Amino acid sequence: ISAVAQKDSRSPLQALPLEELRQFADVFGAIKGNYVESVEDKKLINEAISGMLSGLDPHSAFLDAKAYKEMQLNTSGQFGGIGIEIGIEDGFIKVIAPIEDTPAERAGIRAADLIVKIGERPAKGISTTEAVELMRGKPGTPVTITISRKGEPTPRVFTLERAVIKVQSVRSKMVEPGFAYARITQFQEQTLPSLAKHLDQLASQGPLKGLVLDLRNDPGGLLQGALGVSAAFLPPRVLVTSTDGRNADARRRYNADPNDYARHGDDPIAQIPAVYKSVPMVVLVNAGSASASEIVAGALQDHKRATIIGTQTFGKGSVQTILPLSSTTAIKLTTARYYTPSGRSIQAKGITPDILVDEYPDGDLSHLRVREADLKGHLDDAGKASAGGITQENNTSPNQSERKNSADAPGADRGKSLTAEQINERLRNRKPVVFGSPEDWQLQQAMNHLKGRPVAKPAGTQTAAARTDRIVD
């Protein structure tokens, strides 16, 4: 979700196409009079609005009461639930990790537990979205989940009382003395204050020699979060991103300035040690890095503040503005495109890493992942330098301005020569990457770069060597 602001959806009424509205009324009447079952007027109108918006591009949408509330929960970073991160394994809902100081952690639920029932609902075959809906609810209400744990012959049953869960969008640790690691999973209202606390704690553990900022699989979030995170590492008041759209209020420039990123007059960056303005820095990205995370990566790359390592990002460079229709409904409407400080379009292109590093040492299968350019109805890049940006010379990777979609992304064809059998065999033998773990291949290469050691070349490609001339000292 990327929102510049919430604003009034009412605008001067345009001339309505009467012939098309008559046709709409005819279809509405035909459904009401002839459909096999009775349909409520409200449902028909809402579905018509939804179709009108979804036909524009993949990110414009009608937010009914449920979807609007869910969006608000996601961006606020808190909700009523039991406090676990989940995924899917062999058709079951798997606990990735319990969140610290939540009902799930206090009850003894562990990482790798399999949820076999939620209440009376069998959990095998349901989606993570359905599982989340079943486990979330009003704080203080109970929910029963049945757990299967490896090594135990019988399932365990837990009855938990839901509580207000605050999602931690920032995690950090010292990889080794002098080298810090911070991961942002999503840009929320509390991301910048949380990052400031983590960076302060890391700096207190001794002199810093390098920092890895991990934005892999970060789908984005609030623009203010991206502006603040960028400002934490950039000089004051430099350009972070600009937007361009049809209306005057969609054409804006956003700087590393508290007026753009701070809320309620507080500036969390004030508590971040000054060392983070200059410490050698790597930003890790992949095909799951989208929207706000691409804004951060593009800003730090253009200002030569960090070396971007990983694979081509998702390419979601459009602005969605939330326009409330009522107290419970809204529309999410694409109103502009994002550009990096040098004027590069992010839309349908993404950010090209300075150093291409696959997620696994045996090669890349990123062509299997869907990117923005693969989505039906996506906007084109409209990539032209915006006025007033920093000088574009030497701020893009070779041929980057000519990239048109994810198929043209550096290394996008790597892995395509493999047969389906070879791909399946490789996938069977691979364990999911645990970001930040000792086995994290891309993190290992980021550490090599920070230490001045050679970075492993991507398997089966020579393109990375041609791009290493943009390494930031």
Side-chain angles (χ1 to χ4, degrees):
I1 301 164
S2 296
V4 171
Q6 292 206 10
K7 58 183 288 188
D8 195 333
S9 63
R10 293 169 294 184
S11 59
L13 192 64
Q14 305 293 321
L16 295 176
L18 295 180
E19 184 176 343
E20 284 76 10
L21 287 176
R22 289 193 188 99
Q23 187 177 47
F24 175 84
D26 290 343
V27 173
F28 186 92
I31 294 172
K32 293 291 292 182
N34 300 289
Y35 187 64
V36 64
E37 294 178 353
S38 176
V39 186
E40 293 183 357
D41 292 352
K42 182 179 180 180
K43 176 177 172 59
L44 288 176
I45 296 297
N46 284 350
E47 292 293 343
I49 296 172
S50 180
M52 181 163 46
L53 286 157
S54 63
L56 297 174
D57 65 79
H59 306 293
S60 294
F62 171 63
L63 304 178
D64 60 16
K66 183 178 179 181
Y68 192 25
K69 183 178 180 181
E70 184 70 18
M71 185 214 70
Q72 292 170 319
L73 289 174
N74 286 336
T75 55
S76 69
Q78 62 182 39
F79 54 88
I82 61 174
I84 54 174
E85 297 178 20
I86 60 173
I88 291 182
E89 182 175 286
D90 298 329
F92 286 101
I93 301 299
K94 180 180 180 179
V95 178
I96 304 301
I99 299 172
E100 185 178 354
D101 194 28
T102 62
E105 187 198 46
R106 290 191 290 268
I109 293 176
R110 303 175 186 171
D113 283 347
L114 295 180
I115 300 176
V116 294
K117 286 179 69 176
I118 304 173
E120 296 301 317
R121 173 84 178 269
K124 185 173 176 61
I126 70 173
S127 67
T128 54
T129 301
E130 291 176 293
V132 166
E133 290 178 353
L134 291 169
M135 289 186 285
R136 284 187 182 178
K138 186 178 180 180
T141 59
V143 60
T144 299
I145 61 174
T146 304
I147 294 290
S148 174
R149 182 171 294 168
K150 186 176 181 180
E152 297 187 1
T154 57
R156 293 189 176 207
V157 179
F158 296 84
T159 298
L160 307 173
E161 185 177 289
R162 296 181 178 98
V164 174
I165 307 298
K166 294 183 179 180
V167 178
Q168 299 299 318
S169 64
V170 181
R171 295 175 181 172
S172 69
K173 67 176 183 177
M174 295 300 293
V175 179
E176 57 184 76
F179 293 93
Y181 170 87
R183 171 162 170 73
I184 299 176
T185 58
Q186 187 177 4
F187 289 87
Q188 301 171 337
E189 289 179 1
Q190 294 303 311
T191 295
L192 180 56
S194 179
L195 178 66
K197 291 179 182 178
H198 280 264
L199 294 180
D200 186 43
Q201 291 168 359
L202 291 169
S204 69
Q205 299 180 41
L208 287 177
K209 301 176 184 177
L211 170 68
V212 178
L213 179 65
D214 191 351
L215 300 179
R216 290 172 295 177
N217 285 1
D218 181 333
L222 294 177
L223 173 62
Q224 283 78 8
L227 298 174
V229 169
S230 300
F233 307 106
L234 292 172
R237 292 176 292 281
V238 300
L239 180 65
V240 174
T241 188
S242 61
T243 61
D244 190 21
R246 286 177 58 201
N247 298 328
D249 61 355
R251 296 188 288 272
R252 292 194 56 182
R253 292 164 57 83
Y254 296 92
N255 301 314
D257 188 305
N259 291 325
D260 284 337
Y261 65 76
R263 293 173 180 260
H264 314 301
D266 297 326
D267 185 3
I269 290 179
Q271 75 179 80
I272 298 177
V275 66
Y276 289 104
K277 297 289 187 181
S278 58
V279 67
M281 186 175 175
V282 165
V283 176
L284 289 175
V285 296
N286 66 2
S289 304
S291 191
S293 55
E294 293 176 291
I295 290 174
V296 174
L300 297 180
Q301 186 181 57
D302 276 7
H303 288 291
K304 299 186 178 181
R305 175 62 191 90
T307 302
I308 313 300
I309 291 180
T311 56
Q312 190 81 3
T313 62
F314 184 81
K316 200 269 186 186
S318 59
V319 182
Q320 279 70 51
T321 301
I322 305 302
L323 307 172
L325 301 177
S326 68
S327 61
T328 59
T329 62
I331 62 174
K332 179 159 63 98
L333 187 66
T334 300
T335 55
R337 292 178 175 86
Y338 284 119
Y339 296 86
T340 71
S342 67
R344 289 182 288 149
S345 173
I346 295 172
Q347 177 59 22
K349 290 182 175 181
I351 301 299
T352 301
D354 300 313
I355 304 176
L356 187 63
V357 173
D358 296 330
E359 290 190 354
Y360 295 87
D362 63 346
D364 186 65
L365 293 176
S366 63
H367 67 284
L368 299 176
R369 299 189 69 165
V370 175
R371 288 184 169 87
E372 175 76 12
D374 302 314
L375 300 179
K376 182 179 179 181
H378 72 273
L379 298 176
D380 62 26
D381 61 283
K384 59 181 179 179
S386 57
I390 67 174
T391 304
Q392 186 155 356
E393 184 179 0
N394 295 327
N395 279 313
T396 57
S397 299
N399 301 321
Q400 186 177 28
S401 61
E402 299 175 6
R403 310 285 177 198
K404 295 301 180 185
N405 53 49
S406 64
D408 298 322
D413 59 344
R414 291 179 298 109
K416 288 187 176 180
S417 60
L418 298 174
T419 65
E421 183 178 347
Q422 289 172 322
I423 290 174
N424 289 332
E425 180 65 22
R426 185 172 289 186
L427 291 173
R428 279 193 295 269
N429 293 332
R430 283 183 170 177
K431 294 181 180 180
V433 177
V434 179
F435 296 142
S437 70
E439 294 76 31
D440 185 341
W441 176 251
Q442 290 174 320
L443 176 57
Q444 292 174 21
Q445 304 316 308
M447 291 293 292
N448 284 340
H449 177 71
L450 289 172
K451 294 177 180 180
R453 297 173 180 172
V455 174
K457 293 181 181 179
T461 182
Q462 300 298 320
T463 58
R467 287 195 297 277
T468 54
D469 60 335
R470 285 206 59 245
I471 293 176
V472 179
D473 295 324

